[in-house]
Amino acid sequence: MKKRNKITYWSVTGLFCAMMLMSASMYVFKYEEIAVNFAALGYPVYLLYPLAAAKALGAITILTKPSNFLKNLAYAGFFYNFVMAFGAHIMAGDGEFEGALVAFLLLGTSYFFDRKVFGTSSELKIVHEQVEA
């Protein structure tokens, strides 16, 4: 059971982080095309480069887990990004909301299995205290 959870976590998280890194690279390398789409959704174009950096750093943070706080901050940032993207596409009526929905589902699955495989910070603290005792 634990092995299946780890395989599921790493598969889903790998897919999710690959999706975010590809998205960030498109923001940089296909700037003109993405800028037109961003403007059509009502977002300012100057957000593209900071959003690309945030997506890349968030994906790296989730994969490397430098601290629980940073990992959870990355998950939260992606959550708000996808909610806003989904809402913007629905409001624009362009029918392009599927990418945000898929990313949201991958994010939720990754977060759920992260908790199953690695536990929460409070659970880790209790285990650490038991080991020291």
Side-chain angles (χ1 to χ4, degrees), residues 18-38 48-49 51-53 55-56 96:
M19 186 178 185
M20 292 303 98
L21 291 173
M22 285 188 287
S23 172
S25 68
M26 280 183 33
Y27 286 6
V28 173
F29 297 116
K30 294 190 176 206
Y31 180 82
E32 293 80 20
E33 183 181 330
I34 301 297
V36 170
N37 293 337
F38 244 59
L48 281 174
Y49 288 130
L51 189 56
K55 282 186 174 188
E96 297 291 327

Side-chain angles (χ1 to χ4, degrees), residues 46-84:
Y46 62 80
L47 288 178
L48 281 174
Y49 288 130
L51 189 56
K55 282 186 174 188
L57 290 173
I60 291 167
T61 300
I62 288 174
L63 286 173
T64 60
K65 299 177 189 10
S67 74
N68 276 335
F69 174 75
L70 289 176
K71 179 186 70 173
N72 288 331
L73 188 65
Y75 275 119
F78 282 128
F79 172 80
Y80 289 115
N81 181 293
F82 301 145
V83 168
M84 296 300 289

Side-chain angles (χ1 to χ4, degrees), residues 102-114:
V102 167
F104 187 75
L105 292 174
L106 287 173
L107 177 75
T109 306
S110 173
Y111 184 78
F112 175 77
F113 278 98
D114 178 77

Side-chain angles (χ1 to χ4, degrees), residues 123-133:
E123 290 173 352
L124 294 174
K125 185 178 178 182
I126 291 170
V127 169
H128 183 54
E129 288 172 356
Q130 289 174 350
V131 169
E132 287 182 348

